[in-house]
Every structure is written in C-alpha cells, then in structure tokens.
Amino acid sequence: MAAAVATPQTPVTFRDITETSTQTSAVPRRHDVTTSINYWKDPGDGSLPMPIVIANNTVKNERPHVPQQLVVHDVTGEEDKYSLDSHGFQFQRHASKVTSLQDFQDDELVKAEYYPESIELLKSVTGASRIFIFDHKTRCGPSNWHKLGKGNRSSRGPLLRAHVDQSYDGAELVLRRWFPEEADELVKKRYQIINIWRPIRTILKDPLGVADATSIPDTDLVAAAIIYPADRDETWTIRPRATHRWYFKYAQQPDEMLLIKCFDSDESVPARRSPHSAFDNPEERDRESRESIETRALVFYD
C-alpha cells in the first residue's frame, strides 16, 4: 500500500500566480468551446447500462451514447472560483519532479516519486488526516482507442463520455477492497475519492471537461458496471440535460493540476461528485494526441 506520510505545505493558488503576472501582462482571453459531450443513451425500457468488460489488456465498451451540444466554459483567470466542496473540482498549481511521458509510464517510478508528491498536495488542499493512492493511469493514445480491438489498453487515450469513476456504492466497493479489515470503522467517518489529473505536456487536443456537481441532480446519474475477470466496479454514467454546466482550462499546463471529486460520504456538502469527460475542441483536432496522468486517492478524515 502507498504510504500516507507527508509534511503539509501551503499550496500555491492560481490567484497567487495571477496577481503577480498581471502586474506585467494581460490576463489571457478565455476560449469557451461549443462542442458535444457524449452521454448515456437511455433505451427507455428500464434496462441497466451495458457493462464495460476489461480482460486480457482489452477494454470492451459498446455502451450506446448520445451527443449533446453545449458550451464548455474556459476557467482561465477565474480558477479559484471553483472548489472541491462547492463545485466538485478544483484547479491547483503544483510542479512535479516527474516530467516526461517516459517517466510517467514507469509504474515503479510513479509510485516511488509521484505518489508521495500527490499525497502531500492532497493533504495540503483538503486537510485530510490520511491519503491512500490506489491507482493511476497514463493516457497518450488516440481518441478512438476503444475501437482498436484486442490489446487496446496499451494505447489508452482520452475517454470522450460523461461519467464518474465511482457510484456511491462503487466508492464503498473500492474502500472495502483496499481496507477490508478497517472498512467497517472507516465508513463511520467522512471519506472521499479524489482524482488528481495532470497534463504531461500542454493540453490542446481532447481537453478534459468537468461538470459543476450542483448542476447535475442525482436523478441524472445511472449506476453502471465494469466487469473484470475476478472483480467488478460500479461507476456513474450520465443522462443528458441541457442545464448541465461544463468547464475546462484552455491550454492547461503540466503544473496546472485538476482535482476531481468522485465521491464524498458527507451528504451535507453541495458537491459530492463531479462528472467529467474529454471533449473535442474543433479548433485543435490536428494537434498531437493528448498526454496526461490521473491518480486516484482515498481521502480520510478524523
């Protein structure tokens, strides 16, 4: 298991950077994008979403979806308006010692060097007493990687479908998988699952959009299974609605991390989960494939 020992430090906010930079240069203009987000296509017969099946280094995802046109708003210059508890996501300045795609594809290096950095960051931002990183994924493949057939996980690219990585029940599945002996006590206190999403190089093609959690009611969330040879996960897929509000940061840099709340056991906070999805920016389609890494963490509070 990943160690959760870190010395809390005050994280650098975007306001700190902006107030310094605006003394000498103008704040960049925003690049809102009119595009489509792919939502679950409800067959209308009461049936559950088709499971995603993962086996033999292959992801089989034939779940039908429907695109909905909308505007994804650029947060540039207003990053500090959004927080994990108010919106379900938060942008955070943080430079990593791990920088190259080659290094991020080295699992042992990521666990030894990047995990401790991520733990320290999450402790600083959330004030949590304990952090455990249970997974990470590097993405550098093409947008159509799902259609590449056998072995497509080796070419993992962006996921252009609205989803949350864990449903409410799915979050407890994760907790009990990693902490079977402690779970009965841990569920009595507040815990979260938070993703740390970082560009490996500047993101132009297929950026990641995040939804304001308060704009998506629980009635738009549909539990959906991921099936492995000897296990399963449960996620949320999302029904479309015109009032959903989506955001991203244009030309997101490697030191501009995005924290995404996938689950919060505290039912009193406005944002318990933030749906997210990569999306097509028509002006950037000819760019090179996106390179990014996401780490997933269980976050505990005393």
Side-chain angles (χ1 to χ4, degrees):
M1 290 187 178
V5 177
T7 303
Q9 297 180 359
T10 303
V12 178
T13 67
F14 277 85
R15 186 177 295 111
D16 296 331
I17 302 296
T18 301
E19 289 177 350
T20 300
S21 64
T22 52
Q23 295 176 9
T24 56
S25 61
V27 176
R29 71 178 181 89
R30 297 192 187 98
H31 294 73
D32 294 351
V33 177
T34 299
T35 185
S36 292
I37 296 288
N38 292 316
Y39 287 90
W40 178 55
K41 185 177 182 180
D42 189 340
D45 59 5
S47 60
L48 296 174
M50 183 180 299
I52 295 171
V53 179
I54 301 178
N56 300 319
N57 198 36
T58 302
V59 178
K60 183 180 180 181
N61 185 353
E62 298 179 350
R63 187 178 296 160
H65 62 274
V66 58
Q68 173 148 334
Q69 190 175 67
L70 45 74
V71 176
V72 184
H73 298 281
D74 181 11
V75 304
T76 297
E78 297 184 335
E79 294 90 346
D80 288 331
K81 288 185 176 182
Y82 307 95
S83 72
L84 288 167
D85 283 349
S86 65
H87 292 80
F89 61 89
Q90 183 168 328
F91 290 89
Q92 193 68 49
R93 289 276 187 180
H94 180 274
S96 175
K97 295 179 181 178
V98 186
T99 58
S100 70
L101 176 61
Q102 181 179 357
D103 285 346
F104 276 116
Q105 290 178 320
D106 183 334
D107 287 346
E108 295 309 311
L109 178 65
V110 168
K111 291 175 182 178
E113 297 190 17
Y114 190 64
Y115 278 24
E117 289 181 354
S118 300
I119 290 168
E120 181 177 323
L121 174 73
L122 275 181
K123 279 197 167 186
S124 299
V125 170
T126 66
S129 57
R130 182 181 182 187
I131 308 287
F132 174 74
I133 295 177
F134 61 90
D135 188 25
H136 74 273
K137 288 181 171 59
T138 303
R139 298 181 186 270
C140 58
S143 307
N144 68 340
W145 68 281
H146 270 141
K147 298 180 180 179
L148 298 180
K150 188 175 181 179
N152 60 9
R153 289 187 86 187
S154 297
S155 302
R156 185 189 293 117
L159 182 56
L160 286 89
R161 300 187 184 190
H163 67 286
V164 183
D165 292 7
Q166 289 84 26
S167 68
Y168 298 152
D169 289 340
E172 187 167 335
L173 285 175
V174 172
L175 175 65
R176 291 188 178 278
R177 178 180 302 139
W178 291 103
F179 295 96
E181 297 180 358
E182 300 179 63
D184 287 345
E185 291 301 316
L186 290 172
V187 296
K188 296 176 182 179
K189 300 179 181 181
R190 186 185 188 187
Y191 74 98
Q192 303 166 322
I193 296 178
I194 296 175
N195 285 5
I196 303 172
W197 192 88
R198 181 192 293 274
I200 295 174
R201 63 180 178 184
T202 302
I203 302 291
L204 293 170
K205 183 176 182 178
D206 297 329
L208 184 66
V210 283
D212 178 352
T214 65
S215 74
I216 299 184
D218 278 358
T219 52
D220 289 350
L221 307 178
V222 184
I226 300 178
I227 305 299
Y228 306 95
D231 209 346
R232 65 183 293 273
D233 281 317
E234 187 177 276
T235 69
W236 292 125
T237 188
I238 318 296
R239 291 189 177 97
R241 187 185 296 264
T243 53
H244 295 170
R245 296 187 295 271
W246 286 84
Y247 301 90
F248 85 117
K249 181 170 175 59
Y250 178 75
Q252 190 174 348
Q253 307 290 314
D255 68 340
E256 297 174 334
M257 302 178 69
L258 174 57
L259 308 180
I260 307 169
K261 187 191 290 185
C262 291
F263 172 77
D264 195 332
S265 64
D266 185 349
E267 298 182 12
S268 69
V269 296
R272 293 187 67 200
R273 71 293 177 274
S274 176
H276 46 281
S277 175
F279 66 92
D280 173 44
N281 183 344
E283 295 183 358
E284 309 289 356
R285 283 177 184 156
D286 294 334
R287 301 283 188 168
E288 293 181 306
S289 295
R290 189 187 85 191
E291 295 179 4
S292 61
I293 182 169
E294 62 217 52
T295 52
R296 297 173 176 177
L298 280 158
V299 180
F300 300 103
Y301 298 83
D302 289 333

